[in-house]
Every structure is written in C-alpha cells, then in structure tokens.
Amino acid sequence: MSGPCVRPSCARSCAGTALAVVIFSAGGSGARAQDIEPRAYSNAPVGVNFLIAGYAYAEGGAAVDPSVPLTNANIKVNAAFLGYARALDVLGWSGKFDVVLPYAWLSGTAELAGQPHERDVSGFGDPRFRFTVNFYGAPALSLKEFGSYRQDLIVGASLQVSAPWGQYDSEKLVNIGTNRWWVKPELGVSKAWGSWITELAAGVTFYSDNKDFFGGKTREQDPIYSVQAHLIYNLPSGIWLAVDGTYYTGGRTTVDGVADDDLQKNSRAGVTVTFPVDRRNSIKLNASTGVSTRTGGDFNAVGAAWQYRWGGGL
C-alpha cells in the first residue's frame, strides 16, 4: 500500500464512506426506515468514486415490506446488489451521490386473513438514489488536503428516493418491488472522540399511494418516523467496528379507505465490521435482528459487500 491513502485513518474513512450508504437490510424493497447505516455522514476526498457489489440474506416475519398485513410468515430473501457512489464538492461542503440496484430471490409462506399463501419469485428490486451533504465539520477536500483532516463534529442531511421499477404483480401479496415511490429526508450528526465515533440520525419516510395493490385495490400509508444510533471504534490497522440500533414508528396503512391495525413500533439492533484490503479495496460484513416488533420487521439479516474506489487522485 502506498500513496496518500496509506494512513489508517484515511483508509477507514474511504472504506466506510460508500459502503455505509448501501447496507442492504432486506432485499431492497421494503420500508427503508429499518435501515441501519453507520458512517453514512463521514467525509471523503472530492472526486473519489466507489463501486460496491454485495450479497444479503434475510429471513423472518416480513422481510420485504413490513406494512403488508401478514401473519405466521416465514419469508426468505437472497439478494445481490450493485451500487455506485461519488464524493462531491457542494458549495464548499462535502457531499455524496449514490445509487443502488438490487436483484432478489424470494420464497416463503404466510397467512392473510387466515388463508395460507405461498410465493417463489425473483427479479429486480426498486432502485434507490440518495444525495447527501455535510454542512458542518466536513469541508470539501482534495485527496492531498484530506491527508491532514481529522473529524470532530459533523452535521449533515440526506434525501433518499426509491423508484417503483422493481418486479411487481398485483395478483400477489408479496413482491420484490413495491409499486410506489417513497422519499426519505434525514438529518445526521457524527462526533469523534479519539478512536471512537458516535452517530445519531433521524428521518421520515413518505410514501405515494399504491393504486394497484393486491386485488386491484388502492393502498395508502402514513409516514414512518425513524431514528438510528451507532457506536463505532476505529482500530489502528484501519479496521472499524460498529454496534448499531434503530427504532421506527408510524406507517399505518389504509386499503380502499379502510384503515388497518398495522401501526409500526419496531426496533432492530446489529453489528458491522469493515476492513481495508489495500489502497483501493475494502470489505464490509454486517448482521442485524429484530429486538421488538409490533408489525413487520421481525426478521434476521446478514450481508457482505466489496468496495472498489478510484479517481480523485488515488
């Protein structure tokens, strides 16, 4: 390993920046309030590009869309995903743009209104796009300038959008795509304490109506409010570890004007580990599980991702 990114702190930041924005908790098609994403607001040298490829597996109550009113569900999702991110200069502030495209294989059984249903399907999930700006504590820096940067307090915001372009069949209750748009604005804070970093992010997810829901009905969904917290430790070798947690509530649905008893009040916990392989490559492993669940979200998930970075003087 040689060049400007040889410092462990630089390797940590580069390794965490884009991998954090594509953690894939449930196959890429559910309500993204359940995401657990450490280092989503970390800084990175302007002009650096990130290519991310990975795999995720989720199994449990409602691993795709936690607002679907299923009972006794046992659904398995195997998913591959490809992502791209670029570090930006946004009026002197550091920023990022990223996009994630998933492909999933889903199988399992569940009950709706006491009737058993079985599903086995594969296809593309809904793609996600996100724009992030750190407007305090993380100025836009070249790779050379980034070598002397030390994080203190970072405050940032992001806007994430999901497009309804994934696999969807209105004659089936469980699908990989959701047939609706959603938009998630979020505010995040990250504070460094020596080798430790604490993070807190709060967001709200707004949904468009699904006008071709199961049985040709129209389904509306209230916003989901979420908060996530992370405690991260940076090792001198460049490896970093995180303990993660999230809580989200809201999301009550209405089908053809009839409200469902599916208000969500759920929490999840997880762990993440990322380690640089060399100057351009890094690996991330993550796992999460449901802690408390009122509706949906009671599933276990594991994932792995590889990241390659280039540009910006690397």
Side-chain angles (χ1 to χ4, degrees), residues 55-81:
Y55 164 81
Y57 174 78
E59 179 178 358
V64 176
D65 191 341
S67 67
V68 174
L70 300 174
T71 58
N72 298 323
N74 183 14
I75 297 174
K76 299 178 181 179
V77 179
N78 289 273
F81 61 90

Side-chain angles (χ1 to χ4, degrees), residues 1-286:
M1 183 185 260
S2 61
C5 259
V6 72
R7 265 196 319 108
S9 59
C10 183
R12 278 195 300 267
S13 183
C14 287
T17 296
L19 279 172
V21 302
V22 294
I23 287 184
F24 205 70
S25 62
S29 49
R32 291 279 68 85
Q34 64 204 23
D35 281 349
I36 307 180
E37 304 183 22
R39 302 197 67 144
Y41 295 93
S42 61
N43 202 352
V46 171
V48 175
N49 302 282
F50 304 86
L51 179 66
I52 308 98
Y55 164 81
Y57 174 78
E59 179 178 358
V64 176
D65 191 341
S67 67
V68 174
L70 300 174
T71 58
N72 298 323
N74 183 14
I75 297 174
K76 299 178 181 179
V77 179
N78 289 273
F81 61 90
L82 186 67
Y84 169 77
R86 180 175 174 86
L88 306 172
D89 181 338
V90 184
L91 301 176
W93 300 325
S94 65
K96 293 188 293 287
F97 170 77
D98 61 87
V99 56
V100 180
L101 179 63
Y103 190 94
W105 298 262
L106 179 152
S107 63
T109 59
E111 293 182 5
L112 172 66
Q115 297 298 314
H117 292 261
E118 186 173 353
R119 187 75 159 120
D120 190 346
V121 65
S122 63
F124 285 100
D126 296 339
R128 293 191 285 162
F129 308 86
R130 175 158 48 185
F131 178 67
T132 304
V133 176
N134 296 321
F135 51 81
Y136 181 86
L141 301 171
S142 66
L143 186 65
K144 182 178 180 180
E145 294 169 328
F146 193 81
S148 59
Y149 171 76
R150 298 294 185 275
Q151 178 184 336
D152 183 17
L153 174 67
I154 295 177
V155 182
S158 66
L159 181 66
Q160 189 172 182
V161 177
S162 174
W165 301 337
Q167 175 279 330
Y168 185 79
D169 182 352
S170 63
E171 296 183 357
K172 303 295 183 179
L173 186 61
V174 176
N175 289 282
I176 295 172
T178 59
N179 195 44
R180 61 180 179 177
W181 293 85
W182 58 257
V183 177
K184 182 181 179 181
E186 185 179 76
L187 181 67
V189 178
S190 178
K191 170 65 176 176
W193 311 83
S195 297
W196 294 88
I197 297 176
T198 56
E199 293 182 340
L200 185 67
V204 55
T205 307
F206 300 96
Y207 302 91
S208 68
D209 296 346
N210 181 354
K211 297 182 179 180
D212 192 22
F213 185 57
F214 181 66
K217 299 178 181 180
T218 296
R219 185 176 69 158
E220 306 170 45
Q221 185 169 13
D222 293 341
I224 293 182
Y225 302 89
S226 61
V227 61
Q228 56 179 300
H230 310 278
L231 180 61
I232 302 163
Y233 182 70
N234 295 310
L235 296 170
S237 61
I239 298 172
W240 60 265
L241 312 169
V243 178
D244 316 303
T246 184
Y247 174 79
Y248 50 101
T249 184
R252 188 187 300 274
T253 63
T254 300
V255 178
D256 279 357
V258 179
D260 289 321
D261 183 22
D262 56 359
L263 176 70
Q264 299 184 52
K265 293 184 178 180
N266 304 336
S267 60
R268 295 184 58 79
V271 293
T272 306
V273 57
T274 295
F275 52 94
V277 176
D278 55 31
R279 186 181 178 195
R280 295 181 180 271
N281 296 275
S282 54
I283 300 293
K284 168 175 281 187
L285 306 174
N286 65 281

